[in-house]
């Protein structure tokens, strides 16, 4: 029904207008008492082989919603009801900001891709805290992707990240340090190994300090770009792990336009979707090799099928995220991917998804 009816209607709208309309509908559904539980009973993975415990939390599926779709935590219950094993909200900045001028989101249907230059548009830390605090019991972990305000110079960026940890430490099940968006000027410069190590050490220390106050100790993950030179990628991965990060997300959107056919391919911004499938999987494999499996890796980029997700898992990803595929495939995607992953695990004789992580490296 989504592909035949809803997607054509949504795709006739401006991409960002369609996004906001969908989010408002899901947000409204999230506030309907008793709605999400029966839906989740139908969509949640029934296969215990998909369950993992990471950083002290149970993940009923390795499949998660990537940051950027629900920046302000408006529809977390609805997204968790679709069959996701975790939901990542944000990117959030300390202060609300409007982001870049519109138009700033573009569909590339022949390429199964999106280009965005949103620029961390969000309602700020206080608004996100209020929404997450009101959730009550959570069926899945909720991660918070954090970034600096556009007006904050790089030399002061660490303070923005620390403000966010202090503001949201009691409602986040994990923090994702975003230094890899191409849409905030100068942000990617923070991926340089020395600067990144200092930032991660500060964030980890702030989480630890807040543990007594909040009774919560969310893990800290770092999201890296796919456009780093191989030597720089290796240096950044090493710096992140040595600085005490608890995980990596590989990878963010790309500036590459290789192989695109749609007329919007020259739009500025980060490219996501199917053109990243092989590149992001290769980077997951490299990150797993570099870390020796010491920290969990989250694979993201071009996951449209269960085979795409499984390839990232076998390359070394403990968890996998989707965003662009949800736009093209619709709300039935998470449940379909979970069923496909179950079949693939059974085919290869794995008794748990954890057994499959990094299988191609062994």
């Amino acid at each position: 029904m989504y592909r035949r009816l809803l997607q054509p209607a949504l795709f006739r709208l401006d991409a960002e207008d369609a996004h906001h309309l969908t989010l408002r509908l899901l947000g409204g559904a999230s506030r309907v008492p008793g709605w999400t539980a029966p839906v989740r009973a139908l969509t949640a993975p029934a296969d215990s082989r998909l369950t993992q415990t990471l950083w002290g939390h149970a993940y009923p599926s390795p499949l998660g919603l990537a940051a950027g779709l629900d920046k302000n935590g408006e529809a977390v219950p609805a997204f968790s009801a679709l069959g996701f094993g975790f939901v990542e909200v944000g990117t959030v900045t300390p202060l609300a900001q409007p982001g870049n001028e519109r138009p700033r989101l573009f569909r590339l249907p022949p390429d199964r891709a999106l280009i965005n230059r949103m620029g961390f548009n969000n309602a700020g830390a206080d608004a996100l805290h209020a929404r997450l605090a009101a959730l009550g019991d959570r069926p899945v972990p909720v991660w918070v992707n954090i970034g600096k305000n556009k007006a904050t110079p790089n030399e002061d960026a660490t303070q923005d990240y620390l403000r966010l940890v202090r503001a949201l430490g009691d409602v986040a099940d994990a923090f994702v340090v975003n230094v890899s968006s191409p849409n905030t000027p100068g942000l990617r410069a923070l991926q340089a190994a020395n600067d990144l190590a200092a930032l991660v050490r500060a964030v980890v220390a702030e989480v630890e300090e807040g543990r007594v106050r909040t009774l919560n100790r969310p893990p800290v993950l770092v999201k890296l770009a796919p456009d780093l030179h191989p030597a720089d990628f290796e240096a950044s991965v090493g710096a992140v792990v040595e600085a005490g990060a608890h995980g990596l997300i590989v990878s963010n959107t790309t500036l590459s336009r290789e192989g695109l056919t749609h007329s919007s391919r020259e739009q500025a911004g980060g490219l996501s979707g199917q053109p990243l499938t092989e590149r992001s999987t290769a980077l997951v494999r490299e990150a797993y090799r570099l870390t020796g499996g010491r920290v969990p890796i989250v694979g993201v980029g071009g996951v449209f099928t269960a085979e795409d997700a499984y390839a990232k898992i076998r390359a070394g990803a403990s968890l996998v995220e989707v965003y662009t595929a949800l736009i093209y495939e619709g709300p039935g995607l998470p449940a379909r991917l979970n069923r496909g992953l179950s079949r693939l695990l059974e085919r290869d004789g794995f008794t748990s998804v954890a057994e499959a992580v990094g299988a191609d490296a062994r």
Side-chain angles (χ1 to χ4, degrees):
M1 185 177 71
Y2 177 80
R3 290 185 186 178
R4 292 178 182 176
L5 298 177
L6 296 180
Q7 189 204 72
L10 289 171
F11 275 37
R12 280 195 288 269
L13 300 175
D14 169 80
E16 188 170 350
D17 288 342
H19 173 91
H20 290 311
L21 173 62
T22 302
L23 204 56
R24 282 197 299 272
L25 292 173
L26 290 172
S30 294
R31 293 188 291 274
V32 175
W35 174 81
T36 57
V39 173
R40 183 159 184 81
L42 296 173
T43 61
D47 190 348
S48 62
R49 288 176 297 187
L50 296 179
T51 301
Q52 299 175 85
T53 298
L54 297 167
W55 309 292
H57 286 283
Y59 288 77
S61 162
L63 188 71
L65 179 71
L69 210 159
D70 191 1
K71 292 175 179 291
N72 298 308
E74 299 173 65
V76 170
F79 283 120
S80 65
L82 296 181
F84 285 112
F86 63 104
V87 174
E88 184 177 342
V89 300
T91 299
V92 61
T93 54
L95 302 176
Q97 60 181 30
N100 296 322
E101 292 185 5
R102 296 181 62 171
R104 53 192 181 179
L105 180 63
F106 307 88
R107 306 184 193 94
L108 290 71
D111 304 304
R112 307 279 277 170
L114 299 173
I115 291 175
N116 93 84
R117 50 173 181 265
M118 305 298 285
F120 289 175
N121 56 306
N122 73 104
D126 290 344
L128 181 61
H129 184 278
R131 286 199 176 98
L132 296 186
L135 286 178
D137 292 334
R138 303 177 183 184
V140 300
V142 179
W143 296 5
V144 178
N145 185 297
I146 56 177
K148 78 176 188 71
N149 278 112
K150 183 178 181 178
T152 303
N154 274 14
E155 56 267 28
D156 298 328
T158 296
Q159 294 307 311
D160 272 13
Y161 290 94
L162 298 185
R163 287 175 64 189
L164 289 162
V165 170
R166 287 192 290 269
L168 298 162
D170 62 327
V171 293
D173 293 317
F175 281 115
V176 178
V177 176
N178 189 347
V179 291
S180 52
S181 169
N183 300 318
T184 295
L187 185 72
R188 284 191 167 189
L190 296 175
Q191 291 180 113
N194 290 338
D195 291 339
L196 186 55
L199 172 60
V200 172
R201 277 195 295 269
V203 171
V204 170
E206 189 65 40
V207 168
E208 190 63 38
E209 185 175 326
R211 183 181 185 184
V212 176
R213 183 181 72 256
T214 65
L215 303 180
N216 190 32
R217 188 193 182 196
V220 176
L221 295 85
V222 178
K223 190 169 189 175
L224 295 175
D227 302 323
L228 290 167
H229 184 278
D232 293 333
F233 182 79
E234 180 174 355
S236 293
V237 169
V240 164
V241 174
E242 292 305 314
H246 306 101
L248 291 164
I249 299 185
V250 182
S251 62
N252 211 321
T253 57
T254 182
L255 294 175
S256 171
R257 299 294 186 264
E258 183 178 357
L260 299 182
T261 62
H262 192 268
S263 58
S264 293
R265 62 186 179 275
E266 297 304 325
Q267 291 289 342
L271 174 74
S272 62
Q274 208 161 60
L276 271 74
T277 305
E278 293 184 6
R279 173 63 175 160
S280 61
T281 301
L283 288 172
V284 167
R285 185 178 297 110
E286 178 64 5
Y288 188 78
R289 183 190 71 81
L290 291 170
T291 62
R294 284 181 290 162
V295 298
I297 296 168
V298 183
V300 57
V303 175
F304 278 74
T305 67
E307 287 75 15
D308 295 334
Y310 192 53
K312 284 177 168 52
I313 290 168
R314 290 187 62 104
S318 296
L319 301 169
V320 177
E321 292 183 329
V322 301
Y323 178 162
T324 303
L326 198 63
I327 307 303
Y328 285 97
E329 298 292 321
L333 177 69
R336 188 162 66 249
L337 294 184
N338 284 328
R339 291 193 298 269
L341 284 172
S342 292
R343 289 194 297 270
L344 292 167
L345 291 172
E346 183 175 1
R347 182 197 70 185
D348 292 346
F350 292 117
T351 61
S352 72
V353 68
E355 286 185 2
V357 174
D360 289 344
R362 298 196 287 270

